[in-house]
Amino acid sequence: MNDNASTLYAKLLGETAAISWEELQPFFARGALLWVDGAADLVGVALAVAEDDKAQVAALLAAGTLGKVEEDRAQDLLARDPKLWAVVVAPWVLIQERDEAPTRH
């Protein structure tokens, strides 16, 4: 990771916060939510999106690590109301279900 990426990673990490599904629903309604698999580094994925790293984002999409929040997942999140973490990379809000605070991997 170069210095610019490292600085952006730190910025994104500082902007990552716990959030409820209720707070995210307006973003879902606009189609602006992206789901990040729980095993992935949320901030690392956000960095790839922020840097418009087309190859890495394509690989994440192909692997199912990153994707739009679909209706069935939204219904599940509404029913369970799990602890979610989010980071904004305009125009997207990337979200992830995690048990603990996000950490750098």
Side-chain angles (χ1 to χ4, degrees), residues 31-55:
L33 282 183
L34 295 178
W35 182 261
V36 178
D37 182 80
D41 176 4
L42 174 62
V43 179
V45 173
L47 180 65
V49 173
E51 291 186 325
D52 198 22
D53 184 337
K54 290 175 180 39

Side-chain angles (χ1 to χ4, degrees), residues 9 13 16-21 24 33-46 60 64-67 69 73 77 80-88 93-105:
Y9 186 100
L13 182 61
T16 302
I19 192 167
S20 71
W21 175 247
L24 292 166
L33 282 183
L34 295 178
W35 182 261
V36 178
D37 182 80
D41 176 4
L42 174 62
V43 179
V45 173
L60 292 166
T65 303
L66 175 67
V69 175
R73 185 178 305 272
L77 294 171
R80 292 187 304 114
D81 193 26
K83 185 176 194 176
L84 299 170
W85 289 91
V87 61
V88 175
V93 178
L94 285 74
I95 64 170
Q96 183 178 57
E97 185 174 350
R98 303 206 25 175
D99 291 332
E100 73 284 342
T103 58
R104 186 173 182 166
H105 295 277

